[in-house]
């Protein structure tokens, strides 16, 4: 189904914005749900946002709702992160749920089959 490759992380100050990108195959992006997760040091990987196979439905963790926006085109899935906070500091991972088209969005790490290498986001106060 192809690789997932994230980019766009970096070091920013609180209140700044960043846009993460995840390159994937057109087949993956058009047929399967895609998600963004993050993992801070010493913590479990957690759900951030997801978009369904046709782009019509999105879901967000409560902690990022209203600040982050997930979107996609034929080449990439994006995570626009605005009003960043120090607690958003983590390694961010893109993931694909290859279990089938038309499936509802899942917030569970175990439901996703493919993962990118991760990109570090650091927000200073």
């Amino acid at each position: 189904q192809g690789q997932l490759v994230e980019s766009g992380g970096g070091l920013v100050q609180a209140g700044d914005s960043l846009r993460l990108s995840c390159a994937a195959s057109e087949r993956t992006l058009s047929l399967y749900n895609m998600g963004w997760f993050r993992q801070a040091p010493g913590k479990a990987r957690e759900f951030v946002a997801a978009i369904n196979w046709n782009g019509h439905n999105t879901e967000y963790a409560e902690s990022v709702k209203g600040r982050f926006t997930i979107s996609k085109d034929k080449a990439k899935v994006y995570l626009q992160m605005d009003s960043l906070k120090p607690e958003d500091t983590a390694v961010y991972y893109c993931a694909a749920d290859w279990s089938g088209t038309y499936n509802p969005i899942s917030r569970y790490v175990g439901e996703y089959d493919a993962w990118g290498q991760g990109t570090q986001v650091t927000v200073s106060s």
Side-chain angles (χ1 to χ4, degrees):
Q1 306 282 18
Q3 290 183 309
L4 307 178
V5 181
E6 301 101 335
S7 61
L11 171 63
V12 296
Q13 292 187 329
D16 286 350
S17 298
L18 272 178
R19 188 174 83 152
L20 305 183
S21 300
C22 172
S25 71
E26 185 173 348
R27 174 180 172 84
T28 291
L29 292 169
S30 63
L31 293 179
Y32 304 113
N33 299 343
M34 300 293 294
W36 283 98
F37 292 76
R38 66 187 181 187
Q39 188 165 18
K43 294 188 176 182
R45 193 168 297 188
E46 65 174 6
F47 172 78
V48 175
I51 187 166
N52 79 327
W53 64 278
N54 63 8
H56 291 176
N57 295 317
T58 57
E59 291 192 14
Y60 297 91
E62 283 300 317
S63 59
V64 307
K65 197 173 291 185
R67 299 188 298 121
F68 289 13
T69 304
I70 189 171
S71 63
K72 66 174 183 175
D73 58 26
K74 290 185 178 181
K76 295 183 180 181
V77 60
Y78 305 95
L79 186 67
Q80 177 66 41
M81 305 186 294
D82 298 319
S83 302
L84 282 161
K85 304 176 181 180
E87 51 263 44
D88 294 320
T89 294
V91 177
Y92 283 71
Y93 297 91
C94 173
D97 175 1
W98 288 340
S99 61
T101 308
Y102 313 124
N103 287 354
I105 287 174
S106 174
R107 296 171 176 247
Y108 298 103
V109 170
E111 293 288 338
Y112 288 78
D113 305 286
W115 295 82
Q117 80 286 357
T119 185
Q120 177 70 46
V121 172
T122 303
V123 184
S124 63
S125 57

